[in-house]
Amino acid sequence: LTLRIIIRVALGDVSMLDEYFQDNSLYTDAKNIFDFMIERSLFPLGQFLWKLFYSKLESDAVKSYNNLTRVVARIVEMERENSRNNVNSVDSAGDNTKSYIQILLRECSTGEEDISNAEIVSNISTLLLAGSETTSVSVTWTMFYLSQHPEVLKEARAEVSAYFNKTG
């Protein structure tokens, strides 16, 4: 869920890339990368033993990272082209709804020195990989603590209901 939310915020509505997202390739790629990062950080022995036991895990993670960055780069280029042509992106529901890519292109393009596609891809990849894991852990602990304190849960529910009743 958190990865899906971060994708929407970072990339916008990615329906133009249904084949990558619909067949769960993104989630498989993210899992391969997460598995590699966890195993690598916990592996206490040297590079030789790592390669002996985990070379497939590492190669899968590299392939997955390359897939992820290729897709993000494709979206960035589409958004940059839309920005050059003053075309509103298909995924924009209105002026208030902008993806992180659109914001970066608008705010970090001064005319003299634009933010590069590589910089945007790096930002988005970091956001996707770092943000989804930390957010899911935070949400999980929040749900646990709310389940332990029903009075706080009741207050939170009332606050959310009041907000959406007021804006909806």
Side-chain angles (χ1 to χ4, degrees), residues 44-126:
L45 303 174
Q47 187 69 16
F48 172 76
L49 290 175
W50 168 263
K51 291 287 186 187
L52 185 65
F53 293 110
Y54 291 104
S55 61
K56 176 153 175 34
L57 182 67
E58 186 170 353
S59 69
D60 288 348
V62 168
K63 287 177 194 168
S64 292
Y65 185 75
N66 290 337
N67 282 340
L68 177 74
T69 57
R70 179 183 46 79
V71 170
V72 172
R74 183 172 158 201
I75 294 170
V76 169
E77 189 50 46
M78 290 167 54
E79 289 296 347
R80 187 175 292 281
E81 190 62 31
N82 287 340
S83 178
R84 280 187 202 118
N85 296 327
N86 290 324
V87 173
N88 285 335
S89 298
V90 175
D91 61 317
S92 295
D95 289 339
N96 295 331
T97 305
K98 298 287 184 202
S99 69
Y100 184 57
I101 292 174
Q102 292 166 330
I103 292 168
L104 285 174
L105 286 171
R106 186 182 67 227
E107 300 298 325
C108 298
S109 296
T110 62
E112 297 170 12
E113 188 175 326
D114 288 350
I115 187 170
S116 72
N117 285 6
E119 290 171 308
I120 295 174
V121 170
S122 178
N123 270 286
I124 298 296
S125 299
T126 300

Side-chain angles (χ1 to χ4, degrees), residues 2-12 14 21 26-27 128:
T2 56
L3 187 57
R4 192 177 299 255
I5 292 167
I6 291 170
I7 288 167
R8 179 64 177 100
V9 169
L11 305 176
V14 291
F21 294 95
L26 173 69
Y27 303 103
L128 289 173

